[in-house]
Amino acid sequence: MGLSLLCFTCNALLLKQTTSVLGASAWLALLIRAAGGMVVVWLLALRGGRVDFRRAITVPMLVSRGILGALGTAAYYVTIGPLGPGKATLIGNTWVIWSALMAAFVLHETLTPKKILGILIALGGLAMLTGVDHDALGRFGRYELIAIAGALLAAATVVVIRQLTRTETSATIFTSQCAYTGLFALPFVMAQWSTPTVAVLLLLSLAATLAAVGQLAMTEGFRNLSVTIGGAFQVVLPLLITLGSVALFAEPFTLAQAGGAALIIAGCYVTVVLGAVKK
């Protein structure tokens, strides 16, 4: 999970550089991410890794993982512009709560009060970190509904991943995401096509490689961690991205954001350490 956080953080910072500074299309970034992931699993297969490409696109459970993951990622891309990164990130990261609740019913994982408390503390810190105020949260419309739907889809994806780790390899599970994300993004790329520069292609390819390693590491993490504890690790991601943006892009970091960062760390500690079930 730690490796996945590192890779996803670097991936997000590279995407910020290519989309915000160099003007690359978000849909092109999504397509290259899917293609890069397929290359990574193909290389794993060549080195003897267990990857079943046919199962990844035909077995119903794997197909559901691919489609849910593609739709959830697309929902975030669609809402980050109209809602702003703060509100979109806050709503999107509520998947941590929804997945814990789903896992309790579907996978029969134990959901203790301390785990719930830790998640709520971390999400409160996320609200402070991303700068979402009460007025912003009070506005509710079409894009808010899309963001909530995306969070629910992401939660369902994590529960499916956790279930699939019992029978499938991480590479095969990841292949399903790559295949269906690529199919979903391709029409939008073709409709908005403009020839990217070599620099954009190189940076997006690097970002795709990092995303692939991060996704494989996260899937492997969920093989050994519960949905709640694995999700608590992922709540730290916006904090790492914010700190990286401050260091690399000179973005401001206010006292309120520092307080939010402290709450995220405290919430994750409550969930992972204090909320652990003693056997």
Side-chain angles (χ1 to χ4, degrees), residues 54-80:
R54 178 175 294 182
R55 285 181 61 82
I57 61 175
T58 58
V59 173
M61 195 72 168
L62 286 163
V63 171
S64 67
R65 185 270 177 269
I67 294 175
L68 288 171
L71 293 176
T73 304
Y76 180 73
Y77 274 81
V78 168
T79 57
I80 194 170

Side-chain angles (χ1 to χ4, degrees), residues 216-242:
L216 288 168
M218 187 181 77
T219 301
E220 196 64 24
F222 276 120
R223 189 182 302 278
N224 300 285
L225 298 174
S226 69
V227 168
T228 306
I229 292 178
F233 275 92
Q234 295 302 316
V235 171
V236 182
L237 183 59
L239 167 61
L240 298 178
I241 294 173
T242 299

Side-chain angles (χ1 to χ4, degrees), residues 17 22 29 35 51 67 84 98 103 120 128 161 171-172 186 193 195 228 249 259:
Q17 174 70 19
L22 301 180
V51 185
I67 294 175
W98 310 133
L120 292 176
M128 295 175 63
I161 288 174
T172 300
L186 184 59
W193 177 256
T195 304
T228 306
F249 302 107

Side-chain angles (χ1 to χ4, degrees), residues 11 14 22 53 55 64 76-77 80 94 109 119 123 129 137 170 195 224 246:
N11 168 70
L14 281 172
L22 301 180
F53 293 95
R55 285 181 61 82
S64 67
Y76 180 73
Y77 274 81
I80 194 170
T94 60
E109 292 186 356
I119 291 172
L123 287 175
L129 179 68
L137 287 174
S170 297
T195 304
N224 300 285
V246 171

